[in-house]
Amino acid sequence: MKRILLSLLLAVTVFAADARHYFLDDVGQVVPLIAAPAIGVAGVDARHTFRERLAVTVTAVAIDEILVQTMKHTIRSRRPDGTDNHSFPSGHMARATVGAEIIRSEYGWGWGAGAYLWAAGVGALRIHHHRHRFGDVVGGAVTGFVSARLAYLLLPLERRLFGWDKSRITVTALPAVGSDGKSVAAAVNLIF
């Protein structure tokens, strides 16, 4: 697994030679989001089940996108490179921070510290490429963190909504013998 991750990182670095296209920024922002549910698949113990981690990730990304896009189109801060008025907050940093906070929450600070360092690297690249200012990156980090925490607060609601709190299958069998001793009946109740 480590070799695969190292190979992917090397491939990303090689293909990112032309920094004008912001390839590392674009790929880097989703690495923690993909890693959040995937680390557990690799055998690391997580706080929640795979489907719960996936639900938290999807919910957090949805909250994050709503917050980021609302702020970008409301605040209308000019980018340092002058390309548009959607600088605050950094969406790349917000997405990377969502993934980092989910990793920290699920697997502890051993994995979380690395994920947060990765997210900080994404933010540094956004500043280096003159796409954001420091305040934009901090705003993105706060937005991503809040989105992840809100997703965890919503997880109990999602469990009830999707029926994840119930056992998967409950079988109840009630055998019965007729009064004449010759007839047999049974009732089976399945709850999914």
Side-chain angles (χ1 to χ4, degrees), residues 78-84 87 127 130-133 136:
R78 191 109 180 115
R79 288 189 188 272
D81 65 3
T83 55
D84 62 36
S87 187
I127 293 169
H130 303 289
R131 297 294 290 163
H132 292 288
R133 293 172 194 82
D136 302 336

Side-chain angles (χ1 to χ4, degrees), residues 33-134:
L33 288 172
I34 294 168
I39 292 171
V41 173
V44 178
D45 290 332
R47 268 183 53 207
H48 295 93
T49 65
F50 177 79
R51 74 174 159 195
E52 290 171 331
R53 290 192 310 271
L54 194 58
V56 164
T57 302
V58 169
T59 302
V61 168
I63 293 168
D64 183 60
E65 285 302 313
I66 290 167
L67 292 175
V68 167
Q69 294 307 318
T70 299
M71 285 191 281
K72 280 182 178 291
H73 289 87
T74 303
I75 296 170
R76 301 190 50 79
S77 175
R78 191 109 180 115
R79 288 189 188 272
D81 65 3
T83 55
D84 62 36
N85 291 328
H86 304 301
S87 187
F88 184 86
S90 169
H92 284 67
M93 186 64 183
R95 284 181 282 282
T97 303
V98 164
E101 178 55 20
I102 292 171
I103 290 170
R104 187 211 56 82
S105 296
E106 291 296 328
Y107 309 106
W109 273 109
W111 287 90
Y116 270 105
L117 281 171
W118 184 278
V122 170
L125 283 171
R126 298 305 283 168
I127 293 169
H128 174 74
H129 292 143
H130 303 289
R131 297 294 290 163
H132 292 288
R133 293 172 194 82
F134 181 75

